[in-house]
Amino acid sequence: MKKILVFMGVVAIVIGGYVYSKQSSAKMSSLILENIEALADSETGGRICFGKGLVDCPYNHDKVYMYDAPYSLYY
C-alpha cells in the first residue's frame, strides 16, 4: 500500500512538472509582443507618413512624400 502511494506521488510530481514546463514555454517573446503592438498601432492613431520627399511629416518631422491624418483638433 505504501509503495502505491509513493508511486502515485512521483507520477503526480512528474505530471505537474510537465504541465508547468509547457505553460512557461508558451510565454511570448518581447519581439513577438513588439510586432503585435506595431500592427495594432495604426488602428488607434491613424497618423501615417508615406515615402521620402519634400513634405515635412508633422509627427516625426521627417521629409516624406505625403502624410495622412484623421480630423483632429489637436493637430
Side-chain angles (χ1 to χ4, degrees):
M1 182 72 167
K2 192 172 186 179
K3 288 182 182 181
I4 293 174
L5 288 175
V6 170
F7 177 74
M8 289 178 70
V10 170
V11 169
I13 290 172
V14 169
I15 291 173
Y18 178 76
V19 170
Y20 179 76
S21 69
K22 285 293 184 183
Q23 288 177 349
S24 64
S25 66
K27 292 181 182 175
M28 292 187 196
S29 70
S30 63
L31 179 61
I32 293 173
L33 293 174
E34 287 178 16
N35 285 338
I36 292 171
E37 184 177 342
L39 290 172
D41 188 35
S42 64
E43 295 175 358
T44 59
R47 303 179 301 211
I48 302 171
C49 296
F50 297 103
K52 294 185 185 237
L54 300 175
V55 179
D56 190 27
C57 180
Y59 311 115
N60 57 6
H61 303 291
D62 288 339
K63 296 294 184 183
V64 296
Y65 178 69
M66 65 180 266
Y67 68 90
D68 182 32
Y71 178 75
S72 175
L73 297 175
Y74 300 111
Y75 291 106

